[in-house]
Amino acid sequence: MIVDDNPDLLPLMRDMLSELRGAEVESYASPLEALAAVAADPDQFELVVTDFQMPRMNGLELGRRLRVSAPALKIFLASGGGFFREEFARNAGFSGLLNKPFPLAKLRDALSRAGVGSNPAALTA
């Protein structure tokens, strides 16, 4: 799952993750919609990449609430602000931090460090 309020980034991030994982990826422009989707079927999702800065609920709060419905969910915080460090994200319960813009290789490495496999046929860029 991808959660980002920027409609221009959603298709790009969805395609990157789909290419890397070889799986269907759902995308949400609203953190409230993403939260409802996970609450409705907590086992449907393996991982979430969420933006930090979004209206009505930031990525930190979304991550906290997602953990209530799906404690084993791998959640990555994505931020373009550059004011978060990996240690902060991990201490806040995230599986990792992705500083925007991030290339496919950075996403692949972050997923690998968190124990989330990738599609073996994915790009090696």
Side-chain angles (χ1 to χ4, degrees):
M1 172 189 289
I2 302 288
V3 186
D4 198 306
D5 64 316
N6 183 334
D8 296 331
L9 285 180
L10 277 177
L12 175 63
M13 290 176 54
R14 183 185 61 235
D15 291 348
M16 283 177 63
L17 193 54
S18 180
E19 172 86 19
L20 195 59
R21 296 281 299 132
E24 183 179 333
V25 177
E26 291 191 25
S27 57
Y28 295 89
S30 162
L32 296 173
E33 290 174 5
L35 189 60
V38 171
D41 187 359
D43 297 326
Q44 177 183 356
F45 302 97
E46 180 182 9
L47 71 107
V48 173
V49 176
T50 181
D51 187 25
F52 166 67
Q53 193 167 348
M54 298 180 287
R56 299 199 303 203
M57 183 186 311
N58 68 36
L60 295 175
E61 180 64 16
L62 176 60
R64 188 187 69 73
R65 290 185 183 191
L66 288 171
R67 287 260 176 257
V68 172
S69 297
L73 191 61
K74 304 282 186 178
I75 307 171
F76 293 84
L77 182 64
S79 175
F83 44 79
F84 289 119
R85 301 175 96 181
E86 183 79 23
E87 182 179 336
F88 172 82
R90 291 197 182 277
N91 288 340
F94 289 88
S95 298
L97 175 67
L98 296 163
N99 288 307
K100 293 182 193 177
F102 51 86
L104 185 61
K106 171 75 173 167
L107 179 59
R108 181 183 56 243
D109 291 347
L111 295 178
S112 178
R113 281 193 309 275
V116 178
S118 65
N119 176 5
L123 294 174
T124 58

